[in-house]
């Protein structure tokens, strides 16, 4: 176990102090209000918890589902929304709407989505390759944001031969962006291989004017401290490590505060959190059964490494009421200790895909013709 020797400088995102400097990564379909609430309960309210990605067009059009996704719990004091858009005007309108209607306290812009359906149209992590378009989006967002801080989250680039993060970081500084987060992978890597923390260090050197947040492969609180130490970054963004493990935020706070407390819940405690998560989802959706159905995607993450048996896993993955879920959990050997195999990577780990791009995309980083508006339609994240 490691401790950080000197006191860490405060992470400031505009008017917001994030102490310890720990951010829940936006994850589409995951980081909704119930999941953020769970993570915050474990962190004692410390840290910053970003919403799922919201597409700007859907927000401007007041799409019903989108309006639900931007709902924050009353206990969320720094309301953090992640937006994704490809058109400067629409992004600007979405930001203006957030400001005018007091919908959030912080806006993060997503430039990290590797999904082929999106990059094929020049969106997601393909977009920063077109420097002028990135600049135009950031300029419009910052102009419309007024006092709200605007941050960006991005990948290293399209592939190792077409990295974009240093230019994007510089453009972000020039356009008044408050902080940048870097996931140390290229689009081509998707979620495979290991995140390049050296790139985070290089970005920190390149844009000393603003906080740099490091992201990628933080599976434990000690990983977070190590990333801070090795890269000099100002804060960490934690994604897959907390899937089925929201108490990681408790560990992160302990680690940054210099105590050795790390949680290793027995299965009974995990089962309690599972039930609570499913309950919160049902309350949020306004329908218990739909909440439990939405919860199904989390089951395998919560049970990772525990001796549960494939039949039971299958049963748990098709439950549709809290009573059924509770009864099935009771059938497990709930005294099982936290398994060794549950630490380490979880969630998506596939990688090395060929990157789908519009024809001729890489010919000229300054030619911005051809980003189609439907690069915004997919909502599967970063
Ligand atoms: C299921 C899932 C959904 C995601 N959705 C988003 C998203 O909406 N916006 C975003 O910027 N990144 C998204 N990401 C990427 C994460 O925010 C993060 O950058 C990535 O998982 C690397 O961090 P990690 O190694 O801590 O998981 C998503 C990742 C996963 C696994």
């Amino acid at each position: 176990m490691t401790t950080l020797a000197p006191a860490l400088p405060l992470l400031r995102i505009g008017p917001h102090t994030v102490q310890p400097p720990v951010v829940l990564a936006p994850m589409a379909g995951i980081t909704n209000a119930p999941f953020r609430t769970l993570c915050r309960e474990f962190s004692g309210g410390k840290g910053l918890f970003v919403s799922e990605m919201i597409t700007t067009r859907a927000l401007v059009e007041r799409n019903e589902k989108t309006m639900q996704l931007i709902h924050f719990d009353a206990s969320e004091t720094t309301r953090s929304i992640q937006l994704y858009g490809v058109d400067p005007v629409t992004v600007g309108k979405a930001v203006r709407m957030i400001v005018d209607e007091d919908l959030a306290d912080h806006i993060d812009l997503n430039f990290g989505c590797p999904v082929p359906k999106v990059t094929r149209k020049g969106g997601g992590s393909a977009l920063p390759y077109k420097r002028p378009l990135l600049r135009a989006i950031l300029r419009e967002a910052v102009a419309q944001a007024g006092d709200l801080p605007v941050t960006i989250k991005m990948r290293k680039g399209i592939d190792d031969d077409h990295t974009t993060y240093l230019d994007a970081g510089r453009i972000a500084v020039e356009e008044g962006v408050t902080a940048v987060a870097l996931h140390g992978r290229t689009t081509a890597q998707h979620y495979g291989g290991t995140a390049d923390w050296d790139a985070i260090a290089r970005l920190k050197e390149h844009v000393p004017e603003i906080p740099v947040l490091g992201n990628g492969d933080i599976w434990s609180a000690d990983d977070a401290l190590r990333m801070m130490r090795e890269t000099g970054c100002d804060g960490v963004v934690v994604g897959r490590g907390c899937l089925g493990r929201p108490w990681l935020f408790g560990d992160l706070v302990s680690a940054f505060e210099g105590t050795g407390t790390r949680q290793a819940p027995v299965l009974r405690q995990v089962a309690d959190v599972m039930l609570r998560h499913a309950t919160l989802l049902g309350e949020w959706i306004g329908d218990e059964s739909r909440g439990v159905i939405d919860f199904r995607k989390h089951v395998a993450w919560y049970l990772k490494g525990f001796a549960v048996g494939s039949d039971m896993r299958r049963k748990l993955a098709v439950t549709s009421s809290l009573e059924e879920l509770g009864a099935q959990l009771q059938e497990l050997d709930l005294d099982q200790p936290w398994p060794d195999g549950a630490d380490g990577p979880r969630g998506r780990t596939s990688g090395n895909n060929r990157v789908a791009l519009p024809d001729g995309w890489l010919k000229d980083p300054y030619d911005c013709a051809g980003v189609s508006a439907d690069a915004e339609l997919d909502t599967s994240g970063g």
Side-chain angles (χ1 to χ4, degrees):
M1 193 201 50
T2 32
T3 48
L4 275 185
L8 290 164
L10 292 180
L11 169 61
R12 288 191 204 282
I13 307 281
H16 313 296
T17 301
V18 184
Q19 190 69 343
V22 172
V23 180
L24 169 64
M27 287 186 281
I30 311 285
T31 59
N32 45 30
F35 189 70
R36 296 194 302 268
T37 297
L38 268 188
C39 293
R40 256 191 9 268
E41 284 174 357
F42 283 105
S43 81
K46 298 174 182 178
L48 184 68
F49 301 86
V50 186
S51 79
E52 327 184 35
M53 177 182 90
I54 305 294
T55 57
T56 53
R57 195 132 59 99
L59 182 63
V60 169
E61 289 169 0
R62 295 183 184 274
N63 171 288
E64 197 183 329
K65 174 137 192 277
T66 301
M67 296 313 283
Q68 191 206 8
L69 289 181
I70 60 166
H71 168 83
F72 288 91
D73 191 81
S75 62
E76 296 188 77
T77 45
T78 304
R79 298 162 302 165
S80 188
I81 285 191
Q82 188 187 56
L83 294 180
Y84 167 61
V86 297
D87 168 44
V89 174
T90 313
V91 172
K93 280 187 190 159
V95 169
R96 189 78 236 162
M97 177 176 162
I98 290 170
V99 172
D100 287 347
E101 300 179 24
D102 186 24
L103 300 174
D105 307 301
H106 158 228
I107 294 171
D108 184 50
L109 298 176
N110 178 7
F111 296 103
C113 183
V115 174
K117 254 197 287 184
V118 169
T119 58
R120 183 177 295 124
K121 298 188 176 129
S125 50
L127 193 147
Y129 192 73
K130 300 295 186 184
R131 277 67 168 174
L133 177 58
L134 175 70
R135 187 183 289 283
I137 291 174
L138 300 188
R139 183 168 295 178
E140 196 57 27
V142 171
Q144 298 300 329
D147 293 336
L148 280 199
V150 174
T151 61
I152 66 170
K153 180 163 172 288
M154 59 188 177
R155 286 184 177 241
K156 272 173 66 184
I158 289 174
D159 56 31
D160 287 339
D161 295 327
H162 302 92
T163 62
T164 53
Y165 68 106
L166 295 177
D167 282 0
R170 181 55 37 213
I171 292 169
V173 170
E174 288 166 4
E175 296 304 330
V177 164
T178 305
V180 287
L182 177 63
H183 176 192
R185 285 188 173 82
T186 59
T187 311
Q189 284 179 289
H190 262 230
Y191 293 89
T194 46
D196 174 6
W197 289 6
D198 288 345
I200 298 168
R202 280 198 295 277
L203 180 63
K204 177 65 201 158
E205 285 164 9
H206 194 68
V207 292
E209 300 92 333
I210 56 175
V212 169
L213 306 180
N215 174 232
D217 297 354
I218 292 176
W219 308 110
S220 69
D222 289 330
D223 286 344
L225 297 186
R226 192 165 55 82
M227 180 189 275
M228 298 282 293
R229 242 190 359 258
E230 290 179 5
T231 68
C233 66
D234 302 283
V236 295
V237 181
V238 181
R240 292 164 299 163
C242 65
L243 293 174
R245 215 167 43 143
W247 50 87
L248 181 57
F249 278 88
D251 287 1
L252 288 161
V253 169
S254 301
F256 277 92
E257 292 180 348
T259 74
T261 324
R262 305 289 184 269
Q263 299 179 52
V266 299
L267 185 51
R268 185 181 313 283
Q269 292 166 304
V270 172
D272 285 347
V273 178
M274 291 172 78
L275 265 179
R276 172 141 175 78
H277 192 168
T279 304
L280 288 172
L281 280 168
E283 287 168 5
W284 179 66
I285 295 171
D287 180 327
E288 175 189 314
S289 176
R290 282 177 54 211
V292 175
I293 290 168
D294 192 60
F295 178 73
R296 289 175 185 171
K297 68 174 101 156
H298 299 270
V299 168
W301 293 321
Y302 277 106
L303 296 180
K304 183 173 159 54
F306 285 106
V308 171
S310 48
D311 270 2
M312 186 48 112
R313 279 178 198 276
R314 261 196 301 277
K315 270 210 268 177
L316 280 164
V318 295
T319 45
S320 48
S321 75
L322 287 172
E323 197 185 345
E324 206 184 337
L325 178 63
Q328 283 165 351
L329 290 172
Q330 279 306 320
E331 284 178 36
L332 301 175
D333 168 13
L334 292 173
D335 293 324
Q336 286 181 62
W338 178 253
D340 287 342
D343 293 322
R346 45 178 61 218
R348 298 174 185 167
T349 51
S350 64
N352 280 328
N353 302 23
R354 201 184 62 79
V355 181
L357 295 168
D359 283 346
W361 189 251
L362 296 175
K363 268 195 213 135
D364 183 355
Y366 294 91
D367 173 6
C368 297
V371 183
S372 77
D374 54 354
E376 227 181 275
L377 288 184
D378 192 274
T379 54
S380 50

